[in-house]
Short mmCIF file of all heavy atoms in Angstrom, two decimals:
data_model
loop_
_atom_site.label_atom_id
_atom_site.label_comp_id
_atom_site.label_asym_id
_atom_site.label_seq_id
_atom_site.Cartn_x
_atom_site.Cartn_y
_atom_site.Cartn_z
N SER A 52 32.69 -38.03 5.71
CA SER A 52 33.40 -38.43 4.50
C SER A 52 32.46 -39.05 3.48
O SER A 52 31.31 -39.38 3.76
CB SER A 52 34.52 -39.40 4.85
OG SER A 52 33.99 -40.62 5.35
N GLN A 53 33.00 -39.24 2.27
CA GLN A 53 32.23 -39.83 1.17
C GLN A 53 31.57 -41.14 1.57
O GLN A 53 30.40 -41.35 1.29
CB GLN A 53 33.15 -40.04 -0.03
CG GLN A 53 32.51 -40.77 -1.19
CD GLN A 53 33.50 -41.04 -2.30
OE1 GLN A 53 34.43 -40.26 -2.53
NE2 GLN A 53 33.31 -42.12 -3.02
N GLY A 54 32.30 -42.01 2.19
CA GLY A 54 31.77 -43.30 2.59
C GLY A 54 31.06 -43.30 3.92
O GLY A 54 30.48 -44.32 4.31
N GLY A 55 31.12 -42.19 4.63
CA GLY A 55 30.46 -42.09 5.92
C GLY A 55 31.21 -42.71 7.08
O GLY A 55 30.71 -42.72 8.20
N SER A 56 32.41 -43.20 6.81
CA SER A 56 33.16 -43.89 7.84
C SER A 56 33.96 -42.96 8.74
O SER A 56 34.41 -43.39 9.81
CB SER A 56 34.11 -44.91 7.21
OG SER A 56 35.05 -44.27 6.37
N THR A 57 34.14 -41.73 8.32
CA THR A 57 34.95 -40.77 9.08
C THR A 57 34.16 -39.50 9.32
O THR A 57 33.56 -38.96 8.38
CB THR A 57 36.26 -40.44 8.35
OG1 THR A 57 36.96 -41.64 8.05
CG2 THR A 57 37.14 -39.54 9.20
N THR A 58 34.15 -39.05 10.55
CA THR A 58 33.48 -37.80 10.89
C THR A 58 34.41 -36.90 11.67
O THR A 58 35.32 -37.36 12.36
CB THR A 58 32.21 -38.06 11.71
OG1 THR A 58 32.55 -38.77 12.91
CG2 THR A 58 31.20 -38.87 10.91
N PHE A 59 34.15 -35.60 11.57
CA PHE A 59 34.91 -34.59 12.30
C PHE A 59 33.94 -33.59 12.89
O PHE A 59 32.90 -33.29 12.30
CB PHE A 59 35.91 -33.88 11.38
CG PHE A 59 36.98 -34.76 10.83
CD1 PHE A 59 36.79 -35.44 9.64
CD2 PHE A 59 38.17 -34.92 11.50
CE1 PHE A 59 37.77 -36.26 9.12
CE2 PHE A 59 39.17 -35.75 11.00
CZ PHE A 59 38.97 -36.42 9.81
N TYR A 60 34.31 -33.05 14.04
CA TYR A 60 33.48 -32.07 14.72
C TYR A 60 34.32 -30.94 15.26
O TYR A 60 35.45 -31.14 15.70
CB TYR A 60 32.73 -32.71 15.90
CG TYR A 60 31.78 -33.80 15.50
CD1 TYR A 60 32.20 -35.13 15.46
CD2 TYR A 60 30.46 -33.51 15.17
CE1 TYR A 60 31.33 -36.14 15.10
CE2 TYR A 60 29.58 -34.52 14.81
CZ TYR A 60 30.02 -35.83 14.77
OH TYR A 60 29.14 -36.83 14.40
N ALA A 61 33.76 -29.75 15.23
CA ALA A 61 34.39 -28.64 15.93
C ALA A 61 34.41 -28.94 17.43
O ALA A 61 33.50 -29.58 17.96
CB ALA A 61 33.63 -27.34 15.66
N ASP A 62 35.44 -28.45 18.09
CA ASP A 62 35.54 -28.69 19.53
C ASP A 62 34.31 -28.20 20.28
O ASP A 62 33.90 -28.80 21.29
CB ASP A 62 36.79 -28.01 20.09
CG ASP A 62 38.07 -28.69 19.66
OD1 ASP A 62 38.02 -29.85 19.22
OD2 ASP A 62 39.14 -28.05 19.79
N SER A 63 33.70 -27.14 19.81
CA SER A 63 32.58 -26.54 20.50
C SER A 63 31.32 -27.42 20.48
O SER A 63 30.42 -27.20 21.30
CB SER A 63 32.25 -25.18 19.89
OG SER A 63 31.95 -25.29 18.51
N VAL A 64 31.25 -28.40 19.58
CA VAL A 64 30.05 -29.22 19.47
C VAL A 64 30.31 -30.69 19.73
O VAL A 64 29.36 -31.49 19.73
CB VAL A 64 29.36 -29.05 18.10
CG1 VAL A 64 29.09 -27.58 17.81
CG2 VAL A 64 30.20 -29.67 16.99
N LYS A 65 31.54 -31.10 19.97
CA LYS A 65 31.85 -32.49 20.23
C LYS A 65 31.06 -33.00 21.44
O LYS A 65 30.99 -32.34 22.47
CB LYS A 65 33.34 -32.68 20.47
CG LYS A 65 34.19 -32.60 19.23
CD LYS A 65 35.66 -32.80 19.55
CE LYS A 65 36.52 -32.72 18.30
NZ LYS A 65 37.96 -32.84 18.61
N GLY A 66 30.48 -34.18 21.28
CA GLY A 66 29.69 -34.77 22.34
C GLY A 66 28.25 -34.32 22.37
O GLY A 66 27.44 -34.90 23.09
N ARG A 67 27.91 -33.29 21.59
CA ARG A 67 26.54 -32.78 21.55
C ARG A 67 25.89 -32.96 20.18
O ARG A 67 24.68 -33.19 20.11
CB ARG A 67 26.51 -31.30 21.92
CG ARG A 67 27.03 -31.01 23.32
CD ARG A 67 26.76 -29.56 23.71
NE ARG A 67 27.44 -28.61 22.83
CZ ARG A 67 26.81 -27.68 22.11
NH1 ARG A 67 25.49 -27.58 22.16
NH2 ARG A 67 27.51 -26.85 21.34
N PHE A 68 26.66 -32.83 19.12
CA PHE A 68 26.14 -32.94 17.76
C PHE A 68 26.60 -34.25 17.12
O PHE A 68 27.72 -34.72 17.40
CB PHE A 68 26.62 -31.79 16.89
CG PHE A 68 26.07 -30.43 17.24
CD1 PHE A 68 25.32 -30.22 18.38
CD2 PHE A 68 26.30 -29.36 16.39
CE1 PHE A 68 24.81 -28.97 18.70
CE2 PHE A 68 25.79 -28.10 16.69
CZ PHE A 68 25.06 -27.91 17.83
N THR A 69 25.77 -34.81 16.25
CA THR A 69 26.11 -36.02 15.53
C THR A 69 25.73 -35.86 14.06
O THR A 69 24.58 -35.58 13.74
CB THR A 69 25.38 -37.24 16.11
OG1 THR A 69 25.67 -37.37 17.50
CG2 THR A 69 25.82 -38.51 15.38
N ILE A 70 26.70 -36.07 13.18
CA ILE A 70 26.44 -36.00 11.75
C ILE A 70 26.29 -37.42 11.20
O ILE A 70 26.96 -38.35 11.64
CB ILE A 70 27.57 -35.24 11.01
CG1 ILE A 70 27.17 -34.94 9.56
CG2 ILE A 70 28.89 -36.00 11.07
CD1 ILE A 70 28.13 -33.99 8.85
N SER A 71 25.38 -37.58 10.25
CA SER A 71 25.19 -38.87 9.60
C SER A 71 24.70 -38.64 8.18
O SER A 71 24.30 -37.53 7.82
CB SER A 71 24.19 -39.73 10.38
OG SER A 71 22.91 -39.12 10.44
N ARG A 72 24.75 -39.69 7.37
CA ARG A 72 24.26 -39.56 6.00
C ARG A 72 23.48 -40.80 5.61
O ARG A 72 23.74 -41.91 6.09
CB ARG A 72 25.41 -39.30 5.03
CG ARG A 72 26.40 -40.44 4.88
CD ARG A 72 27.63 -39.99 4.09
NE ARG A 72 27.29 -39.58 2.73
CZ ARG A 72 28.05 -38.81 1.97
NH1 ARG A 72 29.20 -38.34 2.44
NH2 ARG A 72 27.66 -38.50 0.74
N ASP A 73 22.53 -40.61 4.71
CA ASP A 73 21.73 -41.68 4.16
C ASP A 73 21.79 -41.54 2.65
O ASP A 73 21.05 -40.77 2.05
CB ASP A 73 20.29 -41.60 4.66
CG ASP A 73 19.45 -42.79 4.22
OD1 ASP A 73 19.84 -43.50 3.28
OD2 ASP A 73 18.38 -43.01 4.82
N ASP A 74 22.71 -42.28 2.03
CA ASP A 74 22.93 -42.13 0.60
C ASP A 74 21.73 -42.59 -0.23
O ASP A 74 21.51 -42.09 -1.34
CB ASP A 74 24.18 -42.90 0.17
CG ASP A 74 25.46 -42.25 0.66
OD1 ASP A 74 25.40 -41.11 1.16
OD2 ASP A 74 26.52 -42.88 0.54
N ALA A 75 20.95 -43.52 0.30
CA ALA A 75 19.76 -43.97 -0.41
C ALA A 75 18.73 -42.85 -0.54
O ALA A 75 17.92 -42.85 -1.48
CB ALA A 75 19.14 -45.18 0.29
N LYS A 76 18.73 -41.91 0.40
CA LYS A 76 17.81 -40.79 0.38
C LYS A 76 18.47 -39.48 -0.02
O LYS A 76 17.81 -38.44 -0.02
CB LYS A 76 17.15 -40.63 1.74
CG LYS A 76 16.31 -41.82 2.17
CD LYS A 76 15.68 -41.59 3.53
CE LYS A 76 14.83 -42.76 3.95
NZ LYS A 76 14.22 -42.56 5.30
N ASN A 77 19.75 -39.52 -0.34
CA ASN A 77 20.50 -38.32 -0.72
C ASN A 77 20.39 -37.22 0.34
O ASN A 77 20.14 -36.06 0.03
CB ASN A 77 20.04 -37.78 -2.07
CG ASN A 77 20.54 -38.60 -3.24
OD1 ASN A 77 21.11 -39.67 -3.07
ND2 ASN A 77 20.33 -38.08 -4.44
N THR A 78 20.57 -37.61 1.59
CA THR A 78 20.46 -36.66 2.69
C THR A 78 21.61 -36.79 3.66
O THR A 78 22.19 -37.86 3.81
CB THR A 78 19.15 -36.83 3.47
OG1 THR A 78 19.09 -38.16 4.01
CG2 THR A 78 17.94 -36.59 2.59
N VAL A 79 21.92 -35.68 4.31
CA VAL A 79 22.84 -35.67 5.43
C VAL A 79 22.11 -35.01 6.59
O VAL A 79 21.37 -34.05 6.40
CB VAL A 79 24.16 -34.94 5.09
CG1 VAL A 79 23.90 -33.48 4.71
CG2 VAL A 79 25.14 -35.03 6.25
N LEU A 80 22.30 -35.55 7.78
CA LEU A 80 21.61 -35.09 8.97
C LEU A 80 22.59 -34.53 9.98
O LEU A 80 23.75 -34.94 10.03
CB LEU A 80 20.82 -36.23 9.61
CG LEU A 80 19.81 -36.95 8.72
CD1 LEU A 80 19.20 -38.12 9.49
CD2 LEU A 80 18.72 -36.00 8.25
N LEU A 81 22.11 -33.61 10.78
CA LEU A 81 22.86 -33.12 11.92
C LEU A 81 21.94 -33.14 13.13
O LEU A 81 21.03 -32.31 13.24
CB LEU A 81 23.39 -31.71 11.68
CG LEU A 81 24.30 -31.16 12.79
CD1 LEU A 81 25.62 -31.93 12.84
CD2 LEU A 81 24.56 -29.67 12.61
N GLN A 82 22.16 -34.10 14.01
CA GLN A 82 21.41 -34.19 15.25
C GLN A 82 22.11 -33.31 16.28
O GLN A 82 23.28 -33.51 16.58
CB GLN A 82 21.35 -35.63 15.75
CG GLN A 82 20.66 -35.81 17.09
CD GLN A 82 19.19 -35.49 17.02
OE1 GLN A 82 18.51 -35.88 16.07
NE2 GLN A 82 18.68 -34.77 18.02
N MET A 83 21.39 -32.34 16.81
CA MET A 83 21.94 -31.37 17.73
C MET A 83 21.25 -31.53 19.08
O MET A 83 20.05 -31.29 19.19
CB MET A 83 21.77 -29.95 17.21
CG MET A 83 22.35 -29.75 15.81
SD MET A 83 22.29 -28.02 15.27
CE MET A 83 20.51 -27.77 15.22
N ASP A 84 22.01 -31.92 20.08
CA ASP A 84 21.50 -32.11 21.43
C ASP A 84 22.15 -31.12 22.38
O ASP A 84 23.21 -30.57 22.10
CB ASP A 84 21.75 -33.54 21.91
CG ASP A 84 21.06 -34.59 21.07
OD1 ASP A 84 19.92 -34.35 20.64
OD2 ASP A 84 21.67 -35.65 20.83
N THR A 85 21.53 -30.94 23.53
CA THR A 85 22.04 -30.04 24.56
C THR A 85 22.39 -28.68 23.97
O THR A 85 23.47 -28.13 24.19
CB THR A 85 23.25 -30.66 25.28
OG1 THR A 85 23.03 -32.05 25.51
CG2 THR A 85 23.46 -29.99 26.64
N LEU A 86 21.46 -28.14 23.21
CA LEU A 86 21.70 -26.87 22.54
C LEU A 86 21.82 -25.73 23.54
O LEU A 86 21.15 -25.72 24.57
CB LEU A 86 20.58 -26.58 21.55
CG LEU A 86 20.66 -27.39 20.25
CD1 LEU A 86 19.32 -27.39 19.54
CD2 LEU A 86 21.74 -26.82 19.34
N GLN A 87 22.68 -24.79 23.21
CA GLN A 87 22.95 -23.63 24.04
C GLN A 87 22.75 -22.36 23.23
O GLN A 87 22.79 -22.40 22.00
CB GLN A 87 24.37 -23.69 24.60
CG GLN A 87 24.67 -24.92 25.44
CD GLN A 87 23.79 -25.00 26.67
OE1 GLN A 87 23.58 -23.99 27.35
NE2 GLN A 87 23.28 -26.19 26.98
N PRO A 88 22.54 -21.23 23.90
CA PRO A 88 22.38 -19.97 23.15
C PRO A 88 23.53 -19.69 22.20
O PRO A 88 23.31 -19.07 21.15
CB PRO A 88 22.29 -18.92 24.26
CG PRO A 88 21.71 -19.66 25.42
CD PRO A 88 22.30 -21.04 25.34
N GLU A 89 24.73 -20.13 22.53
CA GLU A 89 25.88 -19.92 21.67
C GLU A 89 25.78 -20.67 20.35
O GLU A 89 26.55 -20.39 19.41
CB GLU A 89 27.17 -20.35 22.39
CG GLU A 89 27.47 -19.56 23.66
CD GLU A 89 26.60 -19.99 24.83
OE1 GLU A 89 26.45 -21.21 25.05
OE2 GLU A 89 26.08 -19.10 25.54
N ASP A 90 24.86 -21.62 20.25
CA ASP A 90 24.64 -22.36 19.01
C ASP A 90 23.73 -21.62 18.05
O ASP A 90 23.52 -22.08 16.92
CB ASP A 90 24.05 -23.73 19.30
CG ASP A 90 24.97 -24.61 20.13
OD1 ASP A 90 26.18 -24.67 19.82
OD2 ASP A 90 24.48 -25.23 21.10
N THR A 91 23.15 -20.51 18.47
CA THR A 91 22.25 -19.75 17.62
C THR A 91 23.00 -19.23 16.39
O THR A 91 24.02 -18.55 16.51
CB THR A 91 21.64 -18.57 18.38
OG1 THR A 91 20.82 -19.08 19.45
CG2 THR A 91 20.78 -17.71 17.47
N ALA A 92 22.49 -19.56 15.21
CA ALA A 92 23.13 -19.17 13.96
C ALA A 92 22.29 -19.67 12.80
O ALA A 92 21.36 -20.44 12.97
CB ALA A 92 24.55 -19.77 13.86
N VAL A 93 22.65 -19.22 11.61
CA VAL A 93 22.15 -19.84 10.40
C VAL A 93 23.07 -21.01 10.08
O VAL A 93 24.29 -20.85 10.00
CB VAL A 93 22.10 -18.86 9.22
CG1 VAL A 93 21.66 -19.58 7.95
CG2 VAL A 93 21.16 -17.71 9.53
N TYR A 94 22.49 -22.18 9.90
CA TYR A 94 23.26 -23.39 9.63
C TYR A 94 23.19 -23.72 8.14
O TYR A 94 22.11 -23.74 7.56
CB TYR A 94 22.72 -24.56 10.45
CG TYR A 94 23.18 -24.51 11.89
CD1 TYR A 94 22.69 -23.53 12.75
CD2 TYR A 94 24.11 -25.42 12.38
CE1 TYR A 94 23.12 -23.46 14.06
CE2 TYR A 94 24.53 -25.36 13.69
CZ TYR A 94 24.04 -24.38 14.53
OH TYR A 94 24.46 -24.32 15.84
N TYR A 95 24.35 -23.98 7.56
CA TYR A 95 24.47 -24.24 6.14
C TYR A 95 25.01 -25.63 5.88
O TYR A 95 25.96 -26.07 6.53
CB TYR A 95 25.43 -23.24 5.48
CG TYR A 95 24.97 -21.80 5.52
CD1 TYR A 95 25.33 -20.97 6.56
CD2 TYR A 95 24.17 -21.29 4.50
CE1 TYR A 95 24.92 -19.65 6.60
CE2 TYR A 95 23.75 -19.97 4.53
CZ TYR A 95 24.13 -19.15 5.59
OH TYR A 95 23.73 -17.85 5.61
N CYS A 96 24.42 -26.30 4.93
CA CYS A 96 24.93 -27.54 4.40
C CYS A 96 25.90 -27.23 3.26
O CYS A 96 25.65 -26.34 2.45
CB CYS A 96 23.77 -28.40 3.90
SG CYS A 96 24.21 -29.97 3.16
N ALA A 97 27.00 -27.97 3.18
CA ALA A 97 27.99 -27.76 2.14
C ALA A 97 28.53 -29.10 1.65
O ALA A 97 28.47 -30.10 2.36
CB ALA A 97 29.14 -26.89 2.65
N SER A 98 29.08 -29.08 0.44
CA SER A 98 29.55 -30.31 -0.19
C SER A 98 30.81 -30.05 -0.99
O SER A 98 30.99 -28.97 -1.57
CB SER A 98 28.47 -30.88 -1.10
OG SER A 98 28.91 -32.03 -1.78
N LYS A 99 31.68 -31.05 -1.03
CA LYS A 99 32.88 -30.99 -1.84
C LYS A 99 33.39 -32.39 -2.11
O LYS A 99 32.96 -33.35 -1.47
CB LYS A 99 33.97 -30.16 -1.17
CG LYS A 99 34.67 -30.86 -0.02
CD LYS A 99 35.81 -30.02 0.54
CE LYS A 99 36.68 -30.79 1.50
NZ LYS A 99 37.50 -31.78 0.78
N PHE A 100 34.32 -32.50 -3.04
CA PHE A 100 35.07 -33.73 -3.23
C PHE A 100 36.33 -33.68 -2.40
O PHE A 100 36.82 -32.61 -2.04
CB PHE A 100 35.42 -33.91 -4.70
CG PHE A 100 34.23 -34.08 -5.59
CD1 PHE A 100 33.81 -33.04 -6.41
CD2 PHE A 100 33.53 -35.27 -5.62
CE1 PHE A 100 32.71 -33.19 -7.24
CE2 PHE A 100 32.42 -35.43 -6.43
CZ PHE A 100 32.02 -34.39 -7.25
N GLY A 101 36.86 -34.85 -2.09
CA GLY A 101 38.15 -34.91 -1.41
C GLY A 101 38.03 -35.04 0.09
O GLY A 101 36.94 -35.25 0.64
N PRO A 102 39.16 -34.91 0.76
CA PRO A 102 39.22 -35.21 2.19
C PRO A 102 38.69 -34.08 3.06
O PRO A 102 38.30 -33.01 2.58
CB PRO A 102 40.72 -35.42 2.43
CG PRO A 102 41.37 -34.50 1.45
CD PRO A 102 40.49 -34.56 0.22
N TYR A 103 38.72 -34.34 4.36
CA TYR A 103 38.25 -33.38 5.35
C TYR A 103 38.99 -32.06 5.26
O TYR A 103 40.21 -32.01 5.19
CB TYR A 103 38.44 -33.97 6.74
CG TYR A 103 38.44 -32.96 7.86
CD1 TYR A 103 37.27 -32.33 8.26
CD2 TYR A 103 39.62 -32.63 8.52
CE1 TYR A 103 37.27 -31.41 9.28
CE2 TYR A 103 39.63 -31.70 9.54
CZ TYR A 103 38.45 -31.09 9.92
OH TYR A 103 38.45 -30.17 10.94
N ARG A 104 38.22 -30.98 5.26
CA ARG A 104 38.73 -29.63 5.39
C ARG A 104 37.74 -28.84 6.22
O ARG A 104 36.53 -29.01 6.09
CB ARG A 104 38.91 -28.95 4.02
CG ARG A 104 39.96 -29.60 3.12
CD ARG A 104 41.38 -29.27 3.59
NE ARG A 104 41.66 -27.84 3.52
CZ ARG A 104 42.05 -27.21 2.42
NH1 ARG A 104 42.22 -27.88 1.29
NH2 ARG A 104 42.28 -25.90 2.46
N SER A 105 38.24 -27.97 7.06
CA SER A 105 37.39 -27.19 7.93
C SER A 105 37.14 -25.77 7.44
O SER A 105 36.30 -25.07 8.01
CB SER A 105 37.98 -27.14 9.35
OG SER A 105 39.24 -26.50 9.35
N SER A 106 37.82 -25.37 6.39
CA SER A 106 37.66 -24.02 5.87
C SER A 106 36.46 -23.95 4.92
O SER A 106 36.37 -24.74 3.98
CB SER A 106 38.91 -23.56 5.14
OG SER A 106 38.69 -22.33 4.48
#
Side-chain angles (χ1 to χ4, degrees):
S52 66
Q53 174 185 328
S56 61
T57 306
T58 58
F59 296 89
Y60 298 91
D62 288 343
S63 59
V64 306
K65 285 180 180 177
R67 299 189 298 121
F68 291 9
T69 304
I70 191 170
S71 62
R72 66 190 298 160
D73 186 342
D74 289 350
K76 298 180 179 179
N77 285 9
T78 59
V79 61
L80 304 176
L81 185 68
Q82 177 67 43
M83 305 186 296
D84 298 321
T85 319
L86 284 161
Q87 300 298 317
E89 298 77 46
D90 297 314
T91 296
V93 176
Y94 282 70
Y95 296 91
C96 178
S98 177
K99 75 176 191 71
F100 296 105
Y103 160 73
R104 295 285 297 277
S105 62
S106 172

